[in-house]
Amino acid sequence: MAKVRVLMVEDDPMQAKLIQGLLERAGQGRFEMQHVLRLDEAIPRLVSHDFDAVLLDLTLPDSEGLATFERMYAAAGEIPVVVLTGVDDLTLAAKAVEEGAHDYLVKGKIDGDRLVRALHFAVKRTLAEQQEWNSQMLHLAQQQFLKAAQIMGLDANLRERLLFPQRTLVVTLPFRRDDYKQVETVFGYRVQHVLTMGPTKGGIRYHEDVSLGEVSALAMWMTWKCALMRLPFGGAKGGVRIDPTHLTGHELQRLTRRFTTEIIDMIGPDKDIPAPDMGTDERVMAWLMDTYSQQVGYTVPTVVTGKPVVLGGSLGRREATGRGLVYLIEEAANAMKMPLKGATAIVQGFGNVGSNAAKFLEEAGVKLVGVSDVTTGLYNPKGLSVSALLAYLAEHRSMMGYPDAEAVSNQQLLELPCDILAPCAMQNQITGGNAEKLQCRLLAEGANGPTTLEADEILQERGIFVLPDVLGNAGGVTVSYFEWVQGTQNYTWSLEEINSRLRKIMVDAFHRTSTLATRDRLDFRTAALIGGIERVAEAKLKRGLFP
Ligand code: NAD
């Protein structure tokens, strides 16, 4: 979890020490504070460092009263300022709030919870006000789309129409922690990008960086992915801006049930069908389905996919994204004339997608030499055992301290030598800064948006084969589609049936993409995107314009 970086400007050393102590105790390691005594020290530091919030005493040796706030406010730009004030100066503090301060805290009455809350809320509000659409990921998704649209000569009306999602819903919801002391307000989203092709489909992500822009980017990629795989869905995505790794089961359940209630009008088995994504899993889908079913008055298993098998989930759904990625790696390796037996692989992220990709790579005879989770990377050129890693993770909840490997950072991990590199965690991992240093032959994207446009160009120049996300991780939504079909038919397929249908669809999409890439001399990502966009464009034109 990224720390909240706070600059405290306070000339009274006793006060400063007190506040620092409170934040250390109540902040549970989530804050990082720097302290200065004067305004003329604070302003240059604000410019040269990256802060998320400022705690500002209004009476300083080199500035007094409202002028202190005004000078700091001008220098802080988008960074929120929380004022520290004495009981005698409350009118002044209220005036500072009128002029743009986010809050004020009265010295002598500050406790840890109040301090943490004021800082958190200031940061949250700033993010909500300034960054909902301002997302690097949305920028990437839109640039990729525009590049593909340019190359394929997409109609200008459609280009404009598809650049933003058709429907977005932003909700705020109250969330109570187990200790009952705090009720937080958290932000949640559901976005439907294209409603032309049937119901919309896409996962729900719980992560501290989730924003409207990020969810919209993910929804857009879902549209191209479903169209490329020829599934009867448009793209959607949802999420809640929260770090789920520190939540108890009860907290996660309460959060999920309230979030479901808030978005209930937008979802439904014929409207929009959620599934798991980062930070959510089968359990979360079961609670979502139960909440929806309670509200409509009867059981509706088809409102979600990726639920437990006993509730109508599909066999093979849990492993589907990782399995599908490995089916494609087999095809790509074949095209590259690279034998998989004895090849080496590094997998970033060891959650649903990463751990299953690693498992199926191991089964295909590939030697896994590196893996990671959010806490650490692990490297062992002699090979890592997936079952031993899973057992360690089950016991310790993180990979930190795993004995049979060298610990490396997530960034170092990407640059280590291997034949296959599979980013299966976060977006924005392979950038202009490290694309030159990659030592793999095949980049197989399990995560959404792991590679920037700049990196794409470098990889292409370097002859590294890229299996792009819209193709690489489409196994998940494909088996989700199977789950939905089985649910609507009240019929169950065997695992063999599911895996063979999955392989057929994945391999077919790979060869269609490959044919297009060869014919039009395109990189694989652009070819895959064009494959998806062409189908959406055709459907839009066939349906015509209303009214
Ligand atoms: P998950 O929550 O199950 O696992 C995420 C993994 O990434 C964990 O091991 C976590 O520790 C690690 N991680 C988190 N932040 C990291 C960081 N900054 N650096 C390195 N590692 C980090 O999530 P998941 O469902 O496996 O999803 C992973 C990616 O795959 C996401 O981009 C998601 O959108 C994409 N995806 C998932 C599915 C699916 O079916 N679950 C389908 C298609 C695409």
Side-chain angles (χ1 to χ4, degrees), residues 64-76:
E64 283 216 357
L66 213 52
T68 312
F69 172 71
E70 282 163 355
R71 285 174 59 198
M72 175 52 86
Y73 188 58

Side-chain angles (χ1 to χ4, degrees), residues 137 205-207 218 222 225 237 245 275-281 317-318 320-322 348-355 372-376 393 399 410 423-427 429 446-450 469 473-477 480:
M137 230 162 131
R205 174 177 284 203
Y206 289 172
H207 194 272
L218 290 162
M222 280 304 289
K225 197 178 301 180
K237 209 79 182 192
T245 54
D277 191 75
M278 253 179 108
T280 60
D281 56 14
R317 171 59 185 93
R318 192 186 300 161
T321 312
Q348 185 195 37
F350 212 68
N352 175 293
V353 181
S355 66
S372 72
D373 70 358
V374 67
T375 62
T376 186
L393 212 52
M399 286 185 163
N410 256 289
C424 295
M426 292 289 289
Q427 59 271 16
Q429 295 300 300
N448 282 305
D469 48 6
N473 65 32
V477 70
S480 272

Side-chain angles (χ1 to χ4, degrees), residues 189-191 201-204 215 218-219 222 235-239 277 448:
Y189 310 86
R190 187 72 190 167
V191 170
K201 183 103 196 65
I204 289 187
V215 175
L218 290 162
M222 280 304 289
K237 209 79 182 192
D277 191 75
N448 282 305

Side-chain angles (χ1 to χ4, degrees), residues 519-539:
R519 192 195 69 192
D520 294 352
R521 294 162 171 262
L522 299 170
D523 60 279
F524 236 66
R525 186 186 313 283
T526 310
L529 287 172
I530 290 179
I533 297 167
E534 258 174 358
R535 195 170 161 90
V536 176
E538 190 187 340

Side-chain angles (χ1 to χ4, degrees), residues 58-94:
L58 292 182
T59 312
L60 297 169
D62 56 339
S63 177
E64 283 216 357
L66 213 52
T68 312
F69 172 71
E70 282 163 355
R71 285 174 59 198
M72 175 52 86
Y73 188 58
E78 293 180 349
I79 305 166
V81 180
V82 173
V83 164
L84 290 167
T85 182
V87 206
D88 310 341
D89 293 332
L90 287 186
T91 327
L92 195 64

Side-chain angles (χ1 to χ4, degrees), residues 19 24 32 37 88 117 184 191 198 202 211 219-220 231 234 253 263 289 308 338 353 364 489-490:
I19 291 172
E24 266 161 33
E32 205 173 270
L37 302 164
D88 310 341
R117 222 184 152 93
E184 283 163 53
V191 170
S211 67
M220 186 189 268
L231 308 177
Q253 179 166 176
I263 62 164
M289 173 204 143
M338 175 174 82
V353 181
Q489 308 288 314
N490 292 312

